[in-house]
Amino acid sequence: MANENTNIDRKDIEEMKTLLEEEVGFLPSGSGLDRLLNKAEWLHVDDKYVVIEMGKTCPDVYILKDGIIRVWDFDGEKERTFGFGLPGTIFESKHSFVMHGPSYYQVETCCPSTILRINEKDFWETVENDHSFAIFMLHNAYGELYSHEFKESTINNGTARERFEAMIKYRPVILEKVSQKIIASYLGITSEYFSVLKRRLLTGTAGNKGKQS
């Protein structure tokens, strides 16, 4: 279920800009970002709300204000979670945004969340007319590439225990708010083994037995 907020005030805009500055590292100097945030649909959605549907074309751009999203696919037998987004994350379907094709991934919420939906046409008009906003989005794109490489070197690297330890270190909020089944699919382990690791690591009893890669 989604409820659109039509009563956005300056405080909402400034809070969103603070999150974006923390995510990207700076804010554009032009007025384009403010215009986009004011024109965006502000959606208050429930847990498991599908933001981008697998197999459907969705070229719009989204920003997460609060909550958590996950990105996943289905390999024919099980769901595979590839990543999470926290407040300040800018995201879209790459297949739809770049090539106007159907989305490969599904993006859905892991808890009640607030999401801004920015129309594709409005987004590209701002990129074309506001140079500082275009630079801002370029920095965001490079930051996203860095995050993928960092994830491969930490959370996606090593044994199941080492991957779990990396998640505790770098993304502890996910452990607090996301279901065990989803986290297990992200780490590439069973829910049962996740329970074993969680009990051992969070109680300080982790040992070398029962490792799973």
Side-chain angles (χ1 to χ4, degrees), residues 117-160:
R117 179 166 57 204
I118 297 172
N119 179 271
E120 175 197 22
K121 181 175 179 292
D122 293 335
F123 176 84
W124 282 118
E125 284 181 353
T126 304
V127 169
E128 292 171 2
N129 297 316
D130 188 331
H131 178 72
S132 63
F133 179 78
I135 296 298
F136 170 80
M137 289 305 304
L138 179 63
H139 276 263
N140 181 72
Y142 278 119
E144 187 175 351
L145 291 173
Y146 164 77
S147 294
H148 283 299
E149 187 170 332
F150 180 76
K151 185 177 73 173
E152 290 301 314
S153 69
T154 53
I155 296 174
N156 287 358
N157 190 37
T159 65

Side-chain angles (χ1 to χ4, degrees), residues 3 11 15 21-22 29 38 47-48 60 74 76 87 91 100 102 114 121 130 149 155 157 159 167 169 177 188 202 212:
N3 295 312
K11 180 181 177 182
E15 287 177 353
E21 184 173 18
E22 292 172 353
S29 58
N38 277 290
D47 181 20
K48 297 182 181 178
D60 294 332
F74 185 72
F91 63 98
H100 283 85
T114 301
K121 181 175 179 292
D130 188 331
E149 187 170 332
I155 296 174
N157 190 37
T159 65
M167 174 166 277
K169 180 178 180 180
K177 297 186 176 182
L202 297 185
Q212 179 174 321

Side-chain angles (χ1 to χ4, degrees), residues 6-75:
T6 58
N7 298 313
I8 302 302
D9 58 26
R10 192 65 208 173
K11 180 181 177 182
D12 295 312
I13 299 294
E14 291 305 316
E15 287 177 353
M16 188 71 261
K17 289 170 66 175
T18 296
L19 289 171
L20 289 172
E21 184 173 18
E22 292 172 353
E23 179 75 9
V24 179
F26 74 102
L27 288 175
S29 58
S31 60
L33 178 60
D34 282 87
R35 286 198 301 271
L36 280 182
L37 296 181
N38 277 290
K39 293 180 70 173
E41 294 180 86
W42 291 57
L43 304 174
H44 302 285
V45 301
D46 295 330
D47 181 20
K48 297 182 181 178
Y49 176 82
V50 177
V51 185
I52 296 173
E53 185 175 353
M54 189 184 306
K56 298 290 184 68
T57 300
C58 180
D60 294 332
V61 177
Y62 299 84
I63 308 174
L64 183 65
K65 184 178 185 293
D66 56 63
I68 300 175
I69 57 165
R70 74 158 174 146
V71 181
W72 63 276
D73 77 349
F74 185 72
D75 69 357

Side-chain angles (χ1 to χ4, degrees), residues 158-163 187-190 193 197 210-213:
T159 65
R161 175 184 169 181
E162 290 167 339
R163 297 197 300 274
L187 296 174
I189 58 178
T190 65
Y193 190 65
L197 280 176
K211 284 188 177 180
Q212 179 174 321
S213 59

